[in-house]
Amino acid sequence: MKLTLYVATIVLVGTTRAAALNPNNADCPADRRFLHDLKSLLRIHLGEKIIPPETDSSQWTRTVGGATFTRWGKTTCPKGNDVVYKGYAGGSHYQAKGGPGTTLCLPETPIYEKYTSEASDSYIYGTEYETDREASPLHRLDEDDVPCVVCQSHHKTSAIMVPARNECFAGWHLEYKGYLFGGSTAHTGSSDNVCVDSEAEVIPGGKTNTNGHLLYMIDAKCGALPCPPYVDGWELTCALCTK
């Protein structure tokens, strides 16, 4: 047990010092990915009580009935919210003919129980941004992997995602704004709609095009959808609002 605590302490002290020396982590994505994966493995084998998951709050604000929501494309929660957990966006393969249509925020540290290496008929894949259009507001994210964070409000008790607006209605508080994303209508895989932060981040080291679960910006299409006020082909915004 003493050795376990010693190893855990060394890892935590080392990563803390590295973060202090290079707070922006702009020049070493591979190193950051390695340290992240190392901490995740140590949490699995040593336990989260020894190496707890990272949060943005030094002291967890315990609030009964606080609203929870997922912030897609970010690893931090808006001010006034606590981090429940951080992780990776995931869902069904974009070419799957069936399977769940929900995008999930998978935690950094999974916990397994009984398992088998035999093939399953249902799989979950990591999510990539598909913003290859050069004029896309988030073109810089193209082919990068999508992070996420689940947040709990200190005081608000309700949370809703409002599509096609980057402002909340009267009486509601804006937690973050962004763009509406979902699966391509040209693909067979199931998908849903998620609100990706307009200042979205990426998972370090995840630029490789692996084509698992894919998210595209959603455009308005005139017809049954009235134009105006909607505009054909324009990317739709979104807002996460609490009350």
Side-chain angles (χ1 to χ4, degrees):
M1 186 63 181
K2 290 183 178 179
L3 178 61
T4 298
L5 289 172
Y6 175 75
V7 171
T9 301
I10 291 297
V11 172
L12 288 174
V13 171
T15 53
T16 301
R17 288 181 177 176
L21 292 172
N22 184 16
N24 295 324
N25 290 326
D27 301 323
C28 51
D31 292 344
R32 286 187 283 123
R33 185 63 180 245
F34 170 77
L35 289 172
H36 176 273
D37 291 345
L38 176 61
K39 286 189 289 183
S40 294
L41 287 172
L42 286 171
R43 290 190 193 105
I44 292 173
H45 293 288
L46 302 182
E48 292 185 353
K49 291 183 179 179
I50 297 174
I51 302 182
E54 297 175 6
T55 68
D56 294 328
S57 303
S58 58
Q59 292 184 343
W60 180 266
T61 304
R62 299 187 180 277
T63 305
V64 177
T68 59
F69 59 90
T70 301
R71 191 181 192 186
W72 300 102
K74 298 292 281 188
T75 58
T76 59
C77 291
K79 185 177 180 180
N81 300 275
D82 286 314
V83 173
V84 180
Y85 69 88
K86 297 188 295 182
Y88 319 111
S92 296
H93 194 276
Y94 77 103
Q95 290 180 324
K97 295 181 179 179
T102 306
T103 304
L104 297 176
C105 186
L106 301 166
E108 291 179 335
T109 311
I111 297 176
Y112 293 95
E113 194 166 342
K114 295 181 180 180
Y115 59 89
T116 175
S117 59
E118 296 178 4
S120 173
D121 289 329
S122 186
Y123 300 93
I124 192 164
Y125 295 81
T127 305
E128 289 181 352
Y129 299 106
E130 295 293 328
T131 53
D132 58 346
R133 293 177 294 180
E134 292 186 3
S136 169
L138 297 178
H139 175 65
R140 63 181 176 82
L141 304 173
D142 189 41
E143 305 298 354
D144 268 307
D145 298 338
V146 183
C148 55
V149 58
V150 176
C151 308
Q152 182 179 31
S153 172
H154 293 180
H155 307 293
K156 307 297 194 308
T157 57
S158 299
I160 58 171
M161 188 274 281
V162 181
R165 287 179 63 92
N166 56 12
E167 298 178 2
C168 296
F169 292 103
W172 290 80
H173 171 74
L174 179 67
E175 296 292 350
Y176 76 91
K177 62 181 180 179
Y179 292 93
L180 197 64
F181 275 71
S184 170
T185 54
H187 295 157
T188 52
S190 300
S191 68
D192 60 348
N193 301 303
V194 297
C195 184
V196 174
D197 197 284
S198 59
E199 300 295 330
E201 305 169 13
V202 303
I203 297 174
K207 193 69 172 179
T208 304
N209 181 17
T210 55
N211 279 340
H213 181 248
L214 307 180
L215 286 180
Y216 294 78
M217 301 191 80
I218 297 178
D219 298 342
K221 191 64 179 175
C222 296
L225 189 66
C227 298
Y230 288 87
V231 180
D232 195 86
W234 283 19
E235 291 84 359
L236 292 173
T237 58
C238 57
L240 197 293
C241 307
T242 56
K243 186 177 184 180

